[in-house]
Structure formats: structure tokens, C-alpha cells
Amino acid sequence: MGSSRALLLVAVAAAVAGLAAANFRDDCDIPWEPQNARFTSDGNGLSMALVSNYSGCMLRTKKQFIYGTVSTLIQLVPGDSAGTVTTYYASSVGDNHDEIDFEFLGNETGQPYTLHTNIYADGVGNKEMQFKPWFDPTTGFHNYTISWSPCMIVWYVDSVPIRVFRNYQASHGVAFPTSRPMYAYSSIWAAEDWATQGGRVKTDWSKAPFVANYDNIQLDVCECSGSGGYGGCATGCPAAAAPYNGACQLSAAEVGQMQWVQGNYRIYDYCVDYKRWVNGQKPVECDLQQY
């Protein structure tokens, strides 16, 4: 390991101190195209490859959970990554699913990735927010964290909150995931029909395989086990309140960080895409506090 990479891993790992260390090989499965996955000898590192239009790769945690924080270091596909999608997300299974998304949409060489976030609750999504990174996500590892608590969901990049989605289900009828257990996933797959500039730029398959690298997965979750009773799996679980200690809000410093990111690097927000909403009537949560 080079000294610069070692320093980066130490610095970013410090941002997720307190999370429970896990292991890709021991704590995860590869349910799709396992031949395209490679573990490091200790299982703490992983690479996943997109080999063809039909052969990518997917990782899934063995644990299901309701509430908690999942985090990992990712180095995205370098060079010409147009048409490729690398993901890091949490999702339930079955009908009317819940999902919390990071998707990294590749681009032509020299053009920045798009960091795409979304949330599904009761099977309904359409809550996209997109960013350009303020760093090159292909030259080193960066930490991506999803924190899901009963009061809000927070997306972090290198410990910086970039987005918050609060729970306004009881007060305003806004759907929020509270009862369906999720797995954490990561994948790499082909989506040249839409991923890069609306599908105008296609994948250069002569550059395949496209490889994303992972390190240091962390899982601090309220684990669900057994075949039923999932609604009670978070009862009394400390991870359901972390990292907010019951305060249900970001710190003033974190709010400032998020405002800086959204003010300088946000490129799309569903709340201000008025063409999508009937008579310009945006969703209820868009006028409510989101930090």
C-alpha cells in the first residue's frame, strides 16, 4: 500500500470511527456474477468488475436491518466510464419496497461523475438530488455513508452531509421507511441508454473491464433475524439513534457543510423541477425543514 493511500484510508476511516467493523468476505454475499468479484486476502477489500453489457456484479450484506448506519470506502472506475453505474444503497425486498440510494453515473474521460441520490418509500421514489463531486472519486478512496434513523436519513461523503430527508410521515403524510428490513448493497452495471448525458454518450466496451474498488465496510445497524416480527427489530437498538444521540438534527457545523455542498455542487433537485409537478405543486416535504 502506498503512503498516500495509507494516509487517505486512515483519515477517512477516522470519519466513521465508532461504526462496527465488518468484512466483505465474511459479512456479505455476491448474488450476481460472483466471478467478477475479487476479495483481498484479509477480506477487507473488494473489487467488482463490469465485463460486458450483461455481466456486472452485485454485493449484498448478509444482515437485514431496520435503522442504522452503513459505510464504505469506494474508488470509482477511472478513465472513460461513460454508460457505467456504480451503486451503494440500502433496500428492502418485495412489493412496495423502500430504498436509499447512492448511484455514481460514469462519464467521458475528463468529465466529472454525477453523484445521484434518491429515496423510495412504499414503492414510490421520484425524490432525486444530484451532485458533482468536489474531488476526483477515481484517484483514491472516499467514504460514502448512509445513516437511517427513525427521524431522518442522511447521506454523507467523507463525513460531510450532502442531503437530509426527514420523517414527516406522522405530521404531514410523507412516506418514510420505518418497517421494512433492508439489506445494504453495492453493484456495478451497464446503463448506457440513460446514465451518461441522457444516453447520448455510449459505453466504449474496448475499455472493459470497468472496475470499482472497495475498502473497509462498516455496519452499525439494528439487525433483523428470523422470518417474522421485523417491526420490532429496532426496539431499544442504540444504532437507531446514532449518530444524533436522540437530537434528530444535524449540528450547526454540519448544516453549514451541507449548505456549502448544495450551494456549490448540487446540479439537480426534484423540489425545483416544476415541470414534473401538476400545476407546479411541489411535494409537501420540499417546503419543510430538511436538516
Side-chain angles (χ1 to χ4, degrees):
M1 178 186 294
S3 59
S4 60
R5 180 175 181 269
L7 289 172
L8 177 61
L9 290 177
V10 169
V12 177
V16 293
L19 295 183
N23 182 282
F24 288 110
R25 187 174 53 210
D26 297 339
D27 296 294
C28 303
D29 296 314
I30 308 291
W32 180 47
E33 303 286 53
Q35 73 276 9
N36 294 336
R38 297 288 184 273
F39 296 101
T40 59
S41 58
D42 60 6
N44 291 323
L46 169 72
S47 66
M48 294 197 298
L50 173 63
V51 177
S52 72
N53 196 31
Y54 305 102
S55 184
C57 198
M58 174 186 286
L59 170 107
R60 186 182 75 179
T61 59
K62 294 179 180 178
K63 292 180 178 180
Q64 285 182 295
F65 57 95
I66 294 182
Y67 306 132
T69 299
V70 295
S71 180
T72 194
L73 301 168
I74 306 175
Q75 182 179 19
L76 296 176
V77 175
D80 189 342
S81 57
T84 71
V85 179
T86 305
T87 71
Y88 183 59
Y89 64 104
S91 180
S92 66
V93 296
D95 296 335
N96 301 320
H97 81 295
D98 299 330
E99 185 171 321
I100 307 165
D101 289 340
F102 267 117
E103 293 186 338
F104 309 98
L105 311 183
N107 214 329
E108 298 172 286
T109 300
Q111 298 298 312
Y113 265 78
T114 295
L115 273 59
H116 175 97
T117 66
N118 199 3
I119 178 173
Y120 288 77
D122 295 334
V124 178
N126 300 322
K127 301 181 187 299
E128 303 93 342
M129 192 177 289
Q130 295 181 338
F131 305 84
K132 295 297 184 188
W134 55 97
F135 52 87
D136 185 344
T138 72
T139 58
F141 285 87
H142 292 268
N143 177 267
Y144 301 93
T145 299
I146 294 169
S147 180
W148 174 29
S149 73
C151 64
M152 63 182 179
I153 295 163
V154 188
W155 293 254
Y156 291 91
V157 178
D158 289 341
S159 81
V160 174
I162 65 170
R163 180 183 181 184
V164 170
F165 189 86
R166 294 187 67 87
N167 184 355
Y168 289 115
Q169 184 165 301
S171 60
H172 293 83
V174 179
F176 188 89
T178 58
S179 61
R180 296 181 181 90
M182 297 195 193
Y183 293 100
Y185 295 84
S186 192
S187 64
I188 183 168
W189 51 286
E192 64 179 2
D193 57 330
W194 63 269
T196 303
Q197 299 178 33
R200 291 186 295 275
V201 181
K202 304 301 182 182
T203 304
D204 181 356
W205 290 106
S206 71
K207 302 293 196 299
F210 302 96
V211 178
N213 294 303
Y214 299 79
D215 202 285
N216 192 35
I217 187 172
Q218 307 278 328
L219 303 172
D220 184 17
V221 296
C222 301
E223 183 178 356
C224 300
S225 59
S227 59
Y230 289 123
C233 71
T235 301
C237 174
Y244 318 110
N245 297 317
C248 195
Q249 63 184 21
L250 299 180
S251 69
E254 288 177 317
V255 171
Q257 290 176 320
M258 186 174 71
Q259 290 174 337
W260 173 78
V261 171
Q262 294 191 0
N264 292 282
Y265 297 98
R266 184 174 58 190
I267 58 173
Y268 179 82
D269 180 357
Y270 76 105
C271 282
V272 296
D273 188 354
Y274 298 107
K275 295 179 181 179
R276 295 179 60 175
W277 315 121
V278 177
N279 298 322
Q281 187 66 41
K282 58 187 175 182
V284 171
E285 70 271 12
C286 294
D287 289 323
L288 301 173
Q289 175 182 311
Q290 292 293 345
Y291 53 83

